[in-house]
Amino acid sequence: MTAKRLRVFALLAISVVFLLAWAFPIIWSVLNSLKTDSDVLAYPPKLVFAPTLDAYRDVLFGSGSILPNLLSSVIISVGTTVVTMLMAVPAAYALARLRFRGKRFAGFYVLATQMLPPVGIIIPYFLVLRNIGWIDTYQGIILIYLSFSLPFAIWLLVSYFEDIPFEMEEAAYLDGASRLKTLWRIIIPQVRGGIAVTVVFVFLNAWNEFLFAVVLSGNTVRPVTVAMFNFVSVEQTLWAKLAAVSVLAMLPVVVLGVVAQKHIVKGLTVGAVKGGGRR
């Protein structure tokens, strides 16, 4: 075997190891969600078993159904994404294309907010929401999610706006278009890929968030990431149901990733091929 083939074989072996390490939690959840609790706890672990959908039936239609929790996650994630994008697009455009006093500080502030540890700011958020009566409400959780999703979205979108040549915008002004019309008809179509990427990441961040959700939610609004712990108690852990909920919580993320895959790849490569839009 030549040295080149050895290197290829070594790279393939390393790739397989990393792929298995990445996929192991997913495979573990899927397999255990199809077992009974006794099969899950069997030692040595059963690799051959009779699959059953009892765990899915119980978590979806049983007494402790997680359907309301899935609905809460959808409302929170979609609400956070819509409000974030409505605010982030014009803000990112202003930071990338306009000249105004304090622009450098505003850009630094947006970046600095991403460095704050969530655990350090969760208590002030909790006290504010409690005083205005927004604990365990959709508007309260969405408002807090905006505090980290909006700076992230602005920071991500600014680079896409900066890569658009200023000549396109100036040509629109010469034709009599207003700034708002230019933004809507000329600029935004050029950054559709970046907007799609940002929408996906903002939605995923809101869907997967746990720390703020577990503190700010209650019996009325309880996302699925928090509801998973309904199957964990001091006496026992219902592993099959817990695995089934994990799989159901992953499904929307996987579906969104597959559907938006084309836009994500396109959006991530736009910034690499464009240039010259900065002034």
Side-chain angles (χ1 to χ4, degrees), residues 237-251:
T237 299
L238 304 175
W239 289 107
K241 294 180 181 178
L242 184 61
V245 177
S246 301
V247 173
L248 291 173
M250 284 190 287
L251 278 181

Side-chain angles (χ1 to χ4, degrees), residues 80-81 83-84 87 109-119 121-122 124-126 129 139-154 202 205-206 209 212 216:
T80 301
T81 304
V83 179
T84 296
M87 300 174 69
Y109 177 78
V110 170
L111 183 61
T113 54
Q114 293 296 299
M115 303 176 185
L116 294 175
V119 70
I121 57 178
I122 194 169
Y125 282 157
F126 174 81
L129 291 185
Q139 65 269 26
I141 295 178
I142 291 174
L143 177 65
I144 299 305
Y145 280 15
L146 277 176
S147 65
F148 58 83
S149 63
L150 183 58
F152 170 77
I154 294 173
V202 170
N205 286 338
E209 205 285 326
F212 288 105
L216 305 176

Side-chain angles (χ1 to χ4, degrees), residues 179-192:
R179 184 175 293 279
L180 185 60
K181 190 175 181 179
T182 302
L183 172 63
W184 181 252
R185 294 193 174 182
I186 305 297
I187 303 300
I188 287 183
Q190 299 298 317
V191 295
R192 280 181 299 185

Side-chain angles (χ1 to χ4, degrees), residues 127-208:
L127 295 176
V128 170
L129 291 185
R130 188 189 63 178
N131 289 337
I132 62 177
W134 279 13
I135 291 290
D136 194 19
T137 62
Y138 288 116
Q139 65 269 26
I141 295 178
I142 291 174
L143 177 65
I144 299 305
Y145 280 15
L146 277 176
S147 65
F148 58 83
S149 63
L150 183 58
F152 170 77
I154 294 173
W155 176 73
L156 197 59
L157 285 171
V158 162
S159 60
Y160 291 99
F161 281 112
E162 286 180 337
D163 286 329
I164 300 174
F166 274 91
E167 289 75 10
M168 294 179 62
E169 203 169 350
E170 292 170 348
Y173 295 149
L174 290 176
D175 291 337
S178 63
R179 184 175 293 279
L180 185 60
K181 190 175 181 179
T182 302
L183 172 63
W184 181 252
R185 294 193 174 182
I186 305 297
I187 303 300
I188 287 183
Q190 299 298 317
V191 295
R192 280 181 299 185
I195 291 176
V197 171
T198 308
V199 166
V200 171
F201 281 118
V202 170
F203 182 89
L204 295 184
N205 286 338
W207 183 272
N208 294 324

